[in-house]
């Protein structure tokens, strides 16, 4: 892989040991994936910052990097962590202490302490065709698909390396020819809720793996619908980009989405939506002690909806309701009264964390209800929960009644 003179100086350690290590990582990735060169990028997003992901060794490594002078040179945001910095959720003290070591180390390196999987809700919005180096699978698929930015599925170390150097290897989805569709999914099912988009994404992700899906028949989705569709595709499969004909910027037509490439065709009827939902549900007992919604983090619009569903009601005394979002959206929602409405009903609006990367299982919860296809996919293995998956309305009803509203899946 050809390096510029400035990149060679980085590799040779002239700009510090942390930059040298970062260039080694990027050069190795470039060699592995056949990149001819590195390209400049405008932003990075680092994931894997939960103590569950980082571990104690990773916490020490981050502290060593920060104390050694590592500093990012482009705007670099941070993914969710495993605690809420604004309140005590009664998580184990050693968990909170070590998690905050990681948070502080990355902030010392110059990263923005956004602690969210949706930095595009906080003002960090890549432009169309702009190359970035974001980790966090749901953010990658959203920026590629809905914003039309250029991003590969980075890991935490490679995203940090990109932040430290302002570079990333030119391969994969940074190249136009690799962004075209592979399979056409003709959608005839009515998509009545964000949960239906998540169920469809989960079904397609399991079917398609790392290939690129193109959806035809999606009409006027909300932004949140596309966020949760992408999150489901990225968790149940390895999808990093999708197209929706007439909806996403690189698919004004079916022909544009495929760019002349031959493609397979599959159908999405109500049967496939039901199958996607069934695969995300692992619980049998209707009694639920934990309801968690907001993965990816809730938008202001979603918080408003949850507040309206809870107005004048109370969360069941045997059930805990956590609504996940980030500090920026939470503060705005508090100014508008949505946080107060949710918490007056007995819910908790968290910031900074999410269930699958936190430690809520330490509080003794057993059965989770969620509207998140990503949480439903990961929580059985990550947290040991039995899971009910459904709409926001079903989850709020469960929080109030203490039981899933129907045994039908």
């Amino acid at each position: 892989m050809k390096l510029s003179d400035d990149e060679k100086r980085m590799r040779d350690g002239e700009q510090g040991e942390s930059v040298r290590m970062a260039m080694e990582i990027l050069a190795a990735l470039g060699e592995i994936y056949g990149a001819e060169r590195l390209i400049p990028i405008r932003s990075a997003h680092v994931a894997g910052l939960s103590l569950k992901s980082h571990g104690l060794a990773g916490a020490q490594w981050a502290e060593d990097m920060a104390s050694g002078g590592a500093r990012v040179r482009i705007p670099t945001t941070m993914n969710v962590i495993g605690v809420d910095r604004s309140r005590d959720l009664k998580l184990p003290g050693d968990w909170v202490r070590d998690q905050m070591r990681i948070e502080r180390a990355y902030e010392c390196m110059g990263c923005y302490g956004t602690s969210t999987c949706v930095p595009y809700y906080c003002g960090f919005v890549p432009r169309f065709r702009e190359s970035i180096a974001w980790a966090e699978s749901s953010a990658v698929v959203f920026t590629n698909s809905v914003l039309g930015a250029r991003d590969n599925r980075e890991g935490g170390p490679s995203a940090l390396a990109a932040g430290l150097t302002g570079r990333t290897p030119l391969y994969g989805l940074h190249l136009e020819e690799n962004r075209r569709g592979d399979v056409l999914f003709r959608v005839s099912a009515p998509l009545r809720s964000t949960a239906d988009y998540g169920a469809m994404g989960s079904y397609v992700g399991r079917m398609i793996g790392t290939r690129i899906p193109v959806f035809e028949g999606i009409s006027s989705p909300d932004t949140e619908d596309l966020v949760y569709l992408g999150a489901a595709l990225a968790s149940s499969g390895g999808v990093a980009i999708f197209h929706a004909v007439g909806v996403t910027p690189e698919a004004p037509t079916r022909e544009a989405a495929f760019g002349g490439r031959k493609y397979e065709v599959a159908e999405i009827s109500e049967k496939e939506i039901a199958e996607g939902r069934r695969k995300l549900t692992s619980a049998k007992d209707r009694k639920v002690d934990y309801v968690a919604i907001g993965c990816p983090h809730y938008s202001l619009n979603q918080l408003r909806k949850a507040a309206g569903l809870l107005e004048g009601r109370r969360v069941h005394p045997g059930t805990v309701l956590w609504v996940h979002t980030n500090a920026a959206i939470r503060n705005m929602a508090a100014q508008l009264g949505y946080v107060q409405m949710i918490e007056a009903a007995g819910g908790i609006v968290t910031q900074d964390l999410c269930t699958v990367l936190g430690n809520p299982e330490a509080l003794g919860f057993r059965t989770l209800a969620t509207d998140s296809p990503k949480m439903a996919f990961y929580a059985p293995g990550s947290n040991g929960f039995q899971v009910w998956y459904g709409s926001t309305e079903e989850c709020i009803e469960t929080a109030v009644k203490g039981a899933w509203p129907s045994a039908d899946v």
Side-chain angles (χ1 to χ4, degrees), residues 222-224 298-307 329 338:
D222 292 335
T223 298
E224 295 85 354
Y298 258 13
S299 67
L300 189 64
N301 188 49
Q302 288 171 304
L303 285 172
R304 178 183 181 179
K305 179 178 180 178
I329 296 297
Y338 307 150

Side-chain angles (χ1 to χ4, degrees), residues 243-257:
H243 302 294
V245 177
V247 174
T248 55
E250 294 174 75
T253 63
R254 182 198 298 181
E255 292 72 24

Side-chain angles (χ1 to χ4, degrees), residues 45 77-79 85 103 112-116 119 122 124 326-327 352:
H45 179 71
T77 48
M78 293 168 57
N79 206 48
R85 292 172 293 176
E103 169 78 14
Y112 289 104
T114 46
S115 298
T116 185
C122 305
F124 298 90
N326 55 68
D352 306 323

Side-chain angles (χ1 to χ4, degrees), residues 62-63 65-67 69-72 78 101-113:
E63 289 174 333
M65 288 284 286
S67 64
R71 298 294 183 270
V72 297
M78 293 168 57
R101 290 172 55 197
I102 298 169
E103 169 78 14
R104 286 190 291 267
Y106 278 86
E107 287 190 359
C108 285
M109 286 188 260
C111 298
Y112 289 104

